[in-house]
Amino acid sequence: MKSNKLLKLFISLFFILSCISCNRLSKDLHDGTFVGTGRGHNGIIEVEILVENGKITEAKIINDHETSEISSKAKDHILAAFLKDQSTSMLDVVSGASITSNGLLDALDMALAKAQGYETTTVTYHDTSCDIVIIGAGNAGLTAATEAARNGANVIVLEKMDTVGGNSRFSTGGLNAAYTKEQERLGIKDSKTSFFNDTMKGGKYMNDPALVHKLVDESAGIVEWLQQPFIGADLSDVGIFGGSSHKRAHRPKGGGAIGAHLVPLLSKAAVESGAEIRLNNKVIDIIEENGAAVGVTVSYSGGKYNIRSRAVIIASGGFAANPDMVVMYQAALAGFGTTNHKGATGDAFAMVKKFDAELTQMEYIQIHPTVSTSTGIMVTEAVIGNGAILVNKSGKRFVNENETRDIVSAAILKGPGKIAFIVFDQKVRESLKAIEGYAEAGMLIQGATLTELAGKLGINETVLEESLNKYNKFQAEGKDEDFGRNPNSMNHQLSRAPFYAIEVAPAIHHTMGGLKINPNAQVMRKNGNPIPGLYAAGEVTGGIHGAERLGGNAVADVCIFGKIAADSALKSLKK
């Protein structure tokens, strides 16, 4: 069992590492015909892909029971996009056909794995028991698993996808924390009070203050916990994101992507601590006895089985990749794309109804302002935090780029074409490793001069040059007279050729609402009492971020409350 578990983990880590920055599988494909299966609404979907000269040249469905008109359109759309992208990593489910979409995407994933030389043998699972079962293997679940297993608990982590990480894989920003040793080392003056106030203001003061205080108070501690040798995270670089008054976004040296750094480390730490991670195991129900959570029912390719447990931690993520649920809570977001991986479908919310669990602030859904129009990849706010600016199709700056995501998104959507360009120079590029991933994905538009860049963007070169000259003047003076941008995010003069731009537009990014928890990460009933044995952490919860989440607070949230959920569960086991 142990060797099989490690084998699956290493395969998962390879998928993660190969998806760094450009979110595409990069391992060479073997030529030939490969078949994959997934479970749709009415049964098994079977696909066949043809690989020639290392490229996917054909993808078709060879067995299918999905017959509705909307299902047919969904299948056609996904297959066409799959052939174009040569990957499923950034493909969205189609509104109205979520189950069919996910079944087809799972089938394509299996065929891809075979084309890359991975075996897809089926493991048989039976009814079993453990101390703590964790739903979801993103950073919240992996943090909880590491903490619980290191403290002696028998832990099983269940992940419905074929790889660990969830949305955490694609996080390119950082982890917000205040009053840390890293800030002190870099001479950054910050405080817990400032962190609390920034978070509350960013959330339109709709946040649960008790949860925000917990987030802030535990933030420096989680940085040190992640830096411990049993994990070994590098959080030595500290930057600034929109809505923050000080530099507090901790990330790897050189501004590397935080998600691609943390996920493999936490996965390895969880397994080495004794936790078992089961991939392609989807939790379909939480077992209830006398009002308490006492285990889960799991579905996998071989059927169903039950795991009895003394505690259940829900870390299954949000619902930004479920267009039907998004529209149910925010009709205005119909037709928007998403930055989320295809597994972020909000499965847990139906499972907790029997407990009379309280949901909170489900209507608060965040759109991220800077998502590449060519690839669908989110561009981290660290690019702007390191000195880039936003201009519209006329070449003009039009907003304080350091504002919260809702304000920047609204400003872009009001502009011509509802798009914008992130513009920066060679100095900014060299300051942030994450930009190299965007270059590899073909997202950068480059000009040896501003004139050449303006020509490639189709905007007036004189206006673009005036915008940069004006910004450079503000940067030198330390005061943005047009939009009041924070001087801490105006690090460089934009003057060193070559110059670059990325075309961006807003897309659905984060669901702030979810399960109501208390500061101990216990899931709450509508009557205000905690549900025995049930804990939650990460994007599946609500109340921490209020109406709008600040960049850098998600990684802090998932790690901090993942650890708290484990500690609370461990405490209940001792009782």
Side-chain angles (χ1 to χ4, degrees):
M1 174 67 75
K2 184 76 172 179
S3 62
N4 179 59
K5 181 172 62 178
L6 287 172
L7 173 63
K8 291 196 293 181
L9 178 67
F10 291 142
I11 290 173
S12 300
L13 293 185
F14 182 87
F15 273 100
I16 295 164
L17 291 172
S18 63
C19 286
I20 292 175
S21 302
C22 64
N23 295 348
R24 280 172 167 73
L25 300 173
S26 62
K27 191 174 186 294
D28 291 341
L29 300 177
H30 302 298
D31 287 355
T33 301
F34 305 93
V35 175
T37 59
R39 185 172 295 278
H41 192 276
N42 298 322
I44 296 297
I45 299 174
E46 191 172 13
V47 302
E48 180 181 277
I49 66 172
L50 175 63
V51 180
E52 298 176 305
N53 298 319
K55 299 291 183 181
I56 303 165
T57 58
E58 184 180 356
K60 62 183 179 181
I61 297 173
I62 57 177
N63 185 24
D64 176 27
H65 302 280
E66 316 296 295
T67 57
S68 69
E69 181 179 354
I70 191 167
S71 294
S72 297
K73 291 181 179 179
K75 290 180 290 188
D76 291 343
H77 170 77
I78 289 173
L79 288 175
F82 172 72
L83 282 173
K84 178 182 177 182
D85 287 1
Q86 300 281 294
S87 167
T88 65
S89 298
M90 295 304 294
L91 299 188
D92 297 333
V93 299
V94 177
S95 179
S98 300
I99 297 176
T100 298
S101 299
N102 279 317
L104 177 54
L105 290 168
D106 289 342
L108 291 169
D109 281 339
M110 181 183 289
L112 271 176
K114 291 180 178 179
Q116 292 175 314
Y118 296 122
E119 294 297 326
T120 55
T121 55
T122 300
V123 178
T124 301
Y125 295 104
H126 303 283
D127 289 353
T128 188
S129 63
C130 65
D131 293 324
I132 301 173
V133 65
I134 300 172
I135 308 172
N139 275 356
L142 294 173
T143 298
T146 301
E147 175 71 358
R150 277 181 59 80
N151 284 278
N154 180 8
V155 179
I156 297 177
V157 183
L158 300 163
E159 171 55 54
K160 72 177 184 179
M161 308 303 290
D162 61 0
T163 186
V164 298
N167 276 337
S168 297
R169 288 178 293 161
F170 308 126
S171 175
T172 53
L175 186 161
N176 280 348
Y179 210 62
T180 68
K181 293 179 179 178
E182 298 294 353
Q183 288 177 311
E184 182 180 8
R185 176 180 61 81
L186 295 169
I188 298 169
K189 303 297 183 182
D190 196 6
S191 69
K192 292 183 178 181
T193 300
S194 178
F195 188 6
F196 177 85
N197 290 339
D198 287 347
T199 300
M200 293 297 295
K201 180 182 178 182
K204 317 301 181 189
Y205 299 98
M206 300 302 295
N207 326 55
D208 182 333
L211 296 179
V212 178
H213 275 300
K214 195 72 170 180
L215 178 82
V216 171
D217 290 343
E218 300 295 329
S219 64
I222 201 67
V223 170
E224 293 187 23
W225 185 83
L226 290 166
Q227 291 174 323
Q228 292 295 308
F230 62 88
I231 296 176
D234 172 12
L235 299 173
S236 59
D237 188 300
V238 185
I240 187 169
F241 295 157
S244 292
S245 55
H246 298 85
K247 292 185 177 181
R248 64 172 67 103
H250 294 65
R251 57 201 183 193
K253 183 179 180 180
I258 186 72
H261 179 63
L262 283 184
V263 170
L265 293 176
L266 285 169
S267 301
K268 182 172 180 287
V271 171
E272 290 183 346
S273 299
E276 179 180 356
I277 300 174
R278 298 184 177 184
L279 304 177
N280 294 307
N281 277 244
K282 181 179 180 179
V283 174
I284 57 175
D285 197 16
I286 299 173
I287 302 171
E288 180 266 341
E289 284 184 3
N290 300 318
V294 296
V296 296
T297 299
V298 190
S299 173
Y300 76 114
S301 60
K304 298 178 183 178
Y305 67 99
N306 293 324
I307 299 178
R308 303 283 295 192
S309 65
R310 299 167 66 190
V312 176
I313 298 176
I314 305 173
S316 53
F319 59 93
N322 185 335
D324 298 331
M325 189 176 290
V326 166
V327 171
M328 180 170 69
Y329 290 107
Q330 274 285 5
L333 295 180
F336 269 67
T338 180
T339 64
N340 284 219
H341 81 115
K342 64 179 183 290
T345 50
D347 304 338
F349 301 121
M351 294 184 241
V352 298
K353 288 183 178 179
K354 69 179 73 174
F355 297 96
D356 199 31
E358 183 174 358
L359 304 184
T360 182
Q361 300 181 340
M362 297 292 282
E363 70 277 16
Y364 293 145
I365 300 173
Q366 181 179 73
I367 56 176
H368 195 288
T370 56
V371 177
S372 167
T373 59
S374 62
T375 65
I377 296 172
M378 184 195 76
V379 180
T380 174
E381 287 163 302
V383 179
I384 287 174
N386 280 29
I389 63 172
L390 283 172
V391 301
N392 59 23
K393 289 186 72 174
S394 300
K396 294 182 179 180
R397 280 185 74 214
F398 57 92
V399 70
N400 173 356
E401 298 91 344
N402 200 50
E403 264 291 1
T404 54
R405 291 169 173 176
D406 58 331
I407 292 175
V408 178
S409 294
I412 292 173
L413 292 173
K414 287 180 181 177
K418 298 183 179 181
I419 62 135
F421 298 102
I422 303 176
V423 176
F424 54 97
D425 68 352
Q426 182 64 22
K427 187 179 293 186
V428 172
R429 178 173 179 173
E430 292 176 357
S431 74
L432 192 67
K433 286 183 179 179
I435 294 176
E436 298 314 308
Y438 306 142
E440 292 173 12
M443 292 161 51
L444 301 190
I445 304 167
Q446 179 176 334
T449 64
L450 281 178
T451 298
E452 182 180 342
L453 182 64
K456 290 184 176 181
L457 300 180
I459 61 181
N460 186 292
E461 63 184 80
T462 301
V463 175
L464 179 61
E465 186 173 354
E466 288 175 350
S467 295
L468 263 70
N469 288 341
K470 198 172 187 182
Y471 171 81
N472 288 339
K473 176 177 178 293
F474 295 155
Q475 192 277 337
E477 296 170 348
K479 183 178 181 181
D480 179 2
E481 295 182 0
D482 284 348
F483 301 104
R485 177 168 166 168
N486 189 331
N488 288 328
S489 71
M490 300 168 67
N491 296 339
H492 307 293
Q493 293 268 312
L494 298 178
S495 57
R496 183 178 163 193
F499 297 93
Y500 304 93
I502 303 174
E503 184 178 309
V504 295
I508 297 168
H509 181 55
H510 192 94
T511 49
M512 275 78 71
L515 301 173
K516 185 175 180 60
I517 60 171
N518 64 15
N520 294 319
Q522 295 172 288
V523 180
M524 307 300 290
R525 297 193 202 276
K526 293 177 182 176
N527 65 9
N529 296 322
I531 300 169
L534 194 59
Y535 307 85
E539 196 173 345
V540 75
T541 68
I544 296 171
H545 306 294
E548 187 71 16
R549 178 178 66 79
L550 296 187
N553 274 2
V555 183
D557 168 18
V558 300
C559 293
I560 289 169
F561 282 94
K563 184 174 182 294
I564 290 172
D567 289 336
S568 296
L570 288 165
K571 186 176 180 180
S572 73
L573 299 188
K574 293 178 182 178
K575 293 181 180 179

